[in-house]
């Protein structure tokens, strides 16, 4: 990748966003990173004065996004790559979790990401180049009890990413949905929103899942720095992938899902085709 490239990464205070910013800076790229406090902005800029630029932005502050992106284009330079990384996990049994928590989950993980894409697209389209990378999750393919809102948001972002890639590839703009497995970030720790339990019927299906996630937090298989390097490889590619899984857990689980889906489609094929004509 040419060292003149500029990345705009949302959510660089920790986890994948921070790791990607650090790896990109180490390879000589310019990085604009969004954070949510002035302190986090100062900390980020101190990583590499003059090439790490912090901007305070909550991605649900939809009305602020266009102005922030325009300002970056004018003062830092053309945004070559947008990485929609900011996001969090909601954990809770669907019946127990208020709709307001689903709205918040989609506001951050889906609407915020879409608003960012809509803000950079006019610039990328005018230049006839650019790359949008959306952090989805293996939870954008596979599901498990207790993360229905999260999986819903990541399935949504997978779908938006794939459709958008078909809309903008004629303009030389690539879209990549990056779906990591479990990685050692703050995702299952400080960042996770956990709805309290209220319906004992769900104890057996969900309590072991919650306990295991809490116990494993910080010891997950995936290394965010290695994920960052993998993402930089995709960013540097002449033809970046539309979907990129990260981690052997994601690979095994997503392959298993696709195979089970294919089995079910086959088992019901006669019923499926019975509706034609
Ligand atoms: P993380 O360490 O908790 O980092 C999340 C980042 O997103 C933080 O910088 C956080 O900022 C920011 N953020 C959260 N809500 C925001 C908002 N409303 N506006 C702006 N920034 C916001 O967790 P992470 O794992 O690196 O998460 C990054 C992405 O990876 C997320 O989209 C997550 O769903 C996805 N992911 C993670 C895993 C995993 O195992 N870790 C797996 C698959 C996908 P603050 O510091 O201000 O909270």
């Amino acid at each position: 990748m040419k060292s003149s490239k500029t990345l705009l990464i949302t959510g660089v205070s920790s986890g994948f966003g921070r790791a990607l910013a650090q790896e990109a800076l180490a390879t000589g790229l310019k990085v604009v990173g969004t954070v949510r406090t002035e302190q986090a902005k100062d900390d980020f800029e101190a990583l590499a004065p003059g090439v790490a630029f912090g901007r305070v932005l909550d991605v649900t502050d939809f009305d602020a996004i266009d102005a922030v992106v325009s300002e970056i284009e004018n003062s830092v330079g053309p945004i070559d790559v947008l990485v929609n990384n900011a996001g969090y996990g909601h954990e809770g049994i669907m019946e127990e979790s208020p709709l307001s928590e689903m709205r918040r989950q989609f506001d951050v993980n889906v609407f915020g990401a879409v608003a960012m894409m809509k803000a950079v697209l006019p610039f990328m389209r005018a230049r006839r180049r650019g790359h949008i990378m959306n952090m989805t999750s293996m939870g954008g393919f596979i599901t498990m009890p207790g993360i229905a809102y999260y999986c819903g948001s990541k399935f949504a972002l997978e779908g938006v990413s794939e459709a958008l890639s078909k809309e903008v590839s004629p303009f030389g703009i690539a879209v990549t949905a990056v779906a990591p497995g479990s990685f050692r970030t703050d995702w299952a720790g400080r960042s996770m929103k956990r709805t309290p339990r209220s319906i004992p019927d769900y104890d057996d299906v969900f309590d072991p899942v919650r306990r295991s996630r809490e116990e494993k937090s910080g010891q997950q298989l995936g290394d965010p720095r290695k994920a960052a390097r993998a993402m930089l490889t995709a960013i540097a590619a002449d033809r970046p992938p539309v979907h990129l899984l990260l981690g052997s857990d994601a690979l095994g689980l997503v392959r298993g899902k696709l195979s089970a889906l294919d089995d079910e489609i086959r088992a019901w094929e006669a019923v499926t085709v019975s509706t034609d004509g």
Side-chain angles (χ1 to χ4, degrees):
M1 180 163 42
K2 286 194 207 91
S3 60
S4 57
K5 273 195 177 171
T6 298
L7 275 59
L8 169 58
I9 308 171
T10 61
V12 294
S13 62
S14 64
F16 287 124
R18 183 61 150 237
L20 179 60
Q22 284 177 311
E23 291 298 312
L25 289 165
T27 62
L29 306 181
K30 239 195 267 182
V31 178
V32 188
T34 75
V35 287
R36 291 197 285 180
T37 65
E38 286 296 335
Q39 179 63 53
K41 175 176 179 282
D42 293 345
D43 291 349
F44 178 68
E45 292 187 336
L47 290 175
V51 276
F53 303 88
R55 293 292 183 274
V56 175
L57 178 70
D58 187 307
V59 297
T60 63
D61 192 357
F62 307 123
D63 294 338
I65 288 177
D66 283 351
V68 169
V69 166
S70 294
E71 183 275 324
I72 293 167
E73 283 272 337
N74 290 327
S75 71
V76 180
I79 297 162
D80 299 295
V81 185
L82 165 68
V83 182
N84 270 316
N85 164 75
Y88 74 97
H90 168 270
E91 187 201 65
I93 283 291
M94 200 197 78
E95 192 184 343
E96 295 179 337
S97 304
L99 268 186
S100 57
E101 291 189 342
M102 182 177 188
R103 286 204 183 93
R104 177 73 190 161
Q105 181 76 105
F106 275 65
D107 271 350
V108 177
N109 291 7
V110 183
F111 289 89
V114 170
M116 292 295 303
M117 290 187 253
K118 288 168 81 67
V120 299
L121 275 170
F123 297 101
M124 290 184 175
R125 204 163 32 75
R127 289 192 283 271
R128 289 300 197 255
R129 67 183 158 82
H131 192 171
I132 294 171
M133 191 167 258
N134 292 323
M135 290 299 275
T136 62
S137 169
M138 66 179 173
F141 292 91
I142 63 144
T143 61
M144 60 190 76
I147 50 169
Y149 293 171
Y150 182 69
C151 289
S153 74
K154 295 300 187 179
F155 271 63
L157 191 55
E158 280 283 334
V160 169
S161 298
E162 191 181 289
L164 178 68
S165 76
K166 293 172 180 169
E167 294 176 359
V168 298
S169 66
F171 312 133
I173 302 169
V175 183
T176 303
V178 178
S182 294
F183 279 74
R184 296 184 295 276
T185 71
D186 291 349
W187 183 82
R190 69 163 180 112
S191 301
M192 181 156 267
K193 168 74 183 145
R194 291 182 161 91
T195 299
R197 297 296 328 284
S198 59
I199 309 176
D201 265 350
Y202 291 106
D203 288 358
D204 289 348
V205 74
F206 181 51
D207 284 356
V209 176
R210 172 163 282 176
R211 209 175 310 119
S212 150
R213 184 171 292 119
E214 279 168 341
E215 283 167 8
K216 283 189 199 138
S217 180
Q219 288 149 41
Q220 294 93 333
L221 180 65
D223 177 347
R225 286 186 61 193
K226 292 185 176 172
R229 289 181 206 141
M231 290 165 74
L232 288 173
T233 300
I235 288 169
D238 287 338
R239 294 176 56 200
V242 178
H243 299 280
L244 177 65
L245 300 174
L246 296 180
S248 59
D249 51 351
L251 183 67
L253 289 164
V254 172
R255 278 210 172 123
K257 158 73 187 267
L258 295 177
S259 154
L261 182 62
D262 193 45
D263 289 347
E264 190 172 68
I265 288 171
R266 274 179 214 285
W268 286 83
E269 191 168 335
V271 177
T272 298
V273 299
S274 70
T275 58
D276 292 354

